[in-house]
């Protein structure tokens, strides 16, 4: 037998060994960009990877397939392990479709680079024939297998193919996790046995990542076929440092050693890490947690705006809309999949207020444009419009205009902080919309109303906006029906003294629109009376400070409202 034949036989045996033995393939041929050394070593599993691989094998042997959920710390090797196993199951196995889903497009390219690196570093004798090697796809021709990469912002990711292997990474960062689940999970194979279907959902904790937290905890309770495992930071071998001679433990650090199986070397590393992120200590606790519960703690100095008791009371009103509609000049046209959810039709002799939060885009990854309508006398949410649409389009302006007009010319309070909100207000004025909310100076003794229209987000005015909504909700004066609104209220945070916003991975479009509507309604319910007609108008002050941008009183009018006689507040 000649040398060429012997060499071919040797590589044939190597290929068969790689097909059978993942650990052999990883430690012999799969090369990675290492964290601990500069170089291009093969993948030898660390302690964390060995633990996770063992759990995958045990479940495979016990159930015939793999369904895993991993809560983890940053950079422990879990994602690399799954990328390597994914590569072996496609490049060295037949008839497999594998899918990787990341939280955004740049991350998908970065993660897929691991697979490309595995492929390029293989010896030519082991490298399978491939085509369509691009940013998001490798097709192994000889195997009829492929690897596809998508990201969560594409809600239809993988909907058109059967997926035998699914790796869902950093799931807590998905802004539309429920949409991804609805698209992806029905496409996952149920194959069991020697050629199993494989699903791994893994992520570090991100406050506001409700879907991943609930999905993982359902697995912890044994309610699904998935098995949950948590990886604390101190399991990783590189997360330790030499102990300085003069090193002394603090009381908190001694408590860590008593509660967790960590060494003094681990404590030195953690103290060094905290020093690096001194300005953001909450980030350290989130991405390098000691246990599952602490990884979900709210960042220090952060509070939920709406208490659990308030949210529980409001949740009792959440229900399906009576129908969906598209507003038009002839009324609310019932349409399957219409932009507007209607819980109560416009009632005669009732006044309504509408808040509008305008987003700056029409794509699925943009924020939502939301209009929320409340009935002024009861403060009940009666309708909500939520859509992705170009805010400069005539269609969008038409929808807002006719939605307001259909609800008895509801008073509209638009957010004009960005350019699109200003554009909406200008269009409404050009169409002579009869009721646009006017700004009030809250410290004015005469309760005068400004000639300025629309809500501009300043720190003081946003505080008024939020506190008004919290006060009304805490007293039980409001009723909501939108599940989207309730979810956003759960993740709406007060950060520090005067900052408010959605938790990471969440949105606040619906809650902002609702709060704008409440402020508009409350201003009218107060029923401020105008000044007596015989009172002489107060002259405008001369500007005593020539460097000032404008006189804050210059646009205040002496009456509480302009003379829209037919738009007097509803009095019940």
């Amino acid at each position: 037998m000649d040398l060429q034949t012997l060499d071919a036989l040797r590589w044939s045996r190597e290929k068969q060994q790689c097909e059978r033995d993942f650990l052999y393939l990883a430690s012999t041929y799969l090369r990675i960009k290492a964290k601990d050394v500069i170089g291009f070593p093969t993948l030898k599993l660390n302690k964390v990877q060995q633990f996770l691989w063992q759990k995958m094998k045990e479940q495979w042997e016990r159930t015939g397939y793999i369904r895993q959920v991993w809560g983890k710390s940053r950079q422990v090797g879990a994602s690399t392990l799954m990328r390597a196993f994914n590569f072996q199951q496609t490049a060295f196995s037949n008839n497999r479709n594998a899918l990787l889903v990341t939280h955004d497009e740049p991350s998908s390219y970065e993660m897929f680079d691991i697979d490309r690196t595995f492929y390029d570093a293989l010896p030519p004798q082991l490298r399978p024939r491939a085509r369509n090697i691009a940013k998001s796809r490798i097709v192994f021709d000889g195997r009829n297998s492929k690897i596809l990469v998508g990201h969560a912002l594409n809600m239809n990711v993988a909907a058109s193919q059967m997926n035998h292997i699914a790796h869902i990474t950093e799931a807590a960062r998905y802004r539309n996790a429920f949409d991804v689940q609805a698209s992806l999970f029905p496409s996952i194979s149920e194959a069991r046995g020697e050629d199993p279907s494989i699903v791994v959902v893994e992520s570090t904790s991100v406050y506001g990542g409700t879907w991943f937290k609930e999905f993982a905890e359902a697995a912890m309770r044994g309610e699904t076929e998935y098995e949950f495992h948590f990886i604390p930071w101190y399991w990783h071998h590189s997360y330790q440092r030499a102990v300085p001679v003069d090193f002394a433990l603090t009381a908190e650090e001694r408590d860590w050693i008593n509660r967790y199986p960590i060494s003094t070397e681990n404590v030195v590393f953690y103290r060094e890490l905290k020093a690096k992120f001194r300005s953001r200590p909450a980030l350290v606790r989130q991405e390098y947690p000691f246990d599952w519960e602490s990884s979900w703690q709210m960042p220090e100095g952060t509070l939920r705006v709406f208490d659990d008791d308030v949210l529980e009371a409001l949740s009792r009103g959440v229900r399906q809309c009576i129908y969906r509609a598209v507003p038009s000049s002839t009324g609310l046209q019932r349409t399957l999949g219409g932009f507007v959810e209607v819980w109560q039709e416009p009632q005669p002799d009732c006044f309504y207020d509408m808040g509008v939060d305008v987003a700056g885009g029409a794509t699925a990854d943009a924020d939502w444009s939301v209009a929320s309508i409340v009935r002024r006398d009861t403060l009940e949410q009666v309708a909500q419009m939520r859509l992705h649409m170009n805010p400069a389009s005539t269609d969008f302006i038409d929808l807002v205009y006719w939605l307001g007009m259909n609800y008895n010319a509801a008073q509209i309070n638009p957010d004009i902080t960005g350019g699109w909100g200003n554009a909406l207000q200008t269009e409404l004025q050009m169409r002579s919309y009869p009721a646009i909310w006017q700004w009030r100076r809250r410290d004015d003794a005469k309760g005068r109303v400004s000639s300025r229209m629309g809500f501009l987000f300043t720190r003081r005015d946003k505080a008024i906006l939020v506190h008004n909504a919290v006060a009304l909700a805490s007293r039980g004066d409001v009723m909501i029906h939108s599940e989207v609104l309730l979810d956003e209220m759960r993740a709406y945070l007060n950060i520090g003294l005067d900052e408010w916003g959605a938790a990471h991975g969440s949105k606040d479009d619906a809650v902002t629109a609702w709060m704008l509507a409440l402020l508009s309604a409350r201003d009218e319910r107060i029923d401020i009376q105008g000044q007596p007609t015989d009172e002489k108008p107060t002259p405008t002050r001369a500007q005593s400070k020539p460097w000032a941008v404008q006189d804050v009183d210059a646009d205040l009018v002496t009456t509480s409202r302009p003379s829209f006689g037919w738009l007097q507040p509803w009095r019940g």
Side-chain angles (χ1 to χ4, degrees), residues 180-252:
V180 173
Q181 182 182 24
S183 171
L184 172 59
F185 279 43
S187 74
I188 295 174
S189 167
E190 293 291 329
R192 299 174 186 250
E194 185 177 346
D195 297 319
S197 58
I198 302 163
V199 184
V200 173
V201 183
E202 47 94 358
S203 184
T204 53
S205 298
V206 177
Y207 188 80
T210 306
W211 179 86
F212 177 68
K213 186 174 187 292
E214 293 177 349
F215 189 82
E217 291 178 351
M220 293 169 67
R221 296 189 296 268
E223 297 173 358
T224 69
E225 70 270 31
Y226 288 79
E227 290 185 359
F228 174 79
H229 302 288
F230 177 74
I231 310 299
W233 64 271
Y234 50 81
W235 280 16
H236 196 275
H237 66 279
S238 67
Y239 290 162
Q240 52 186 324
R241 296 289 184 269
V243 181
V245 176
D246 57 349
F247 186 79
L249 295 169
T250 65
E252 181 183 36

Side-chain angles (χ1 to χ4, degrees), residues 308-423:
D308 286 335
D309 292 342
V310 172
L311 294 170
E312 175 63 27
L314 290 174
S315 69
R316 300 187 189 106
V318 172
R319 56 183 169 85
Q320 291 291 324
C321 59
I322 58 174
Y323 61 83
R324 284 183 169 271
V326 174
S328 71
S329 60
T330 57
L332 294 172
Q333 303 298 319
R334 299 191 183 202
T335 306
L336 185 64
F339 298 123
V340 181
E341 296 174 277
V342 178
W343 290 280
Q344 184 184 103
E345 294 182 316
Q347 302 298 306
D349 302 322
C350 284
F351 281 68
Y352 297 93
D353 293 88
M354 179 166 72
V356 184
D357 183 41
V358 185
T363 61
D365 58 331
D367 288 337
W368 294 88
S369 289
V370 180
S372 186
I373 299 184
V374 300
R375 179 168 157 165
R376 188 176 296 170
D377 57 336
T378 62
L379 298 184
E380 177 183 359
Q381 183 186 31
V382 297
Q384 177 178 274
M385 180 172 71
R386 185 169 179 261
L387 72 167
H388 284 128
M389 184 178 287
N390 183 353
S393 67
T394 302
D395 288 343
F396 179 76
I397 306 299
D398 286 344
L399 288 170
V400 174
Y401 178 88
W402 288 116
L403 180 59
M405 292 300 290
N406 276 294
Y407 274 92
N408 302 345
Q411 179 167 259
I412 297 179
N413 186 6
D415 168 18
I416 62 169
T417 308
W420 296 120
N422 264 313

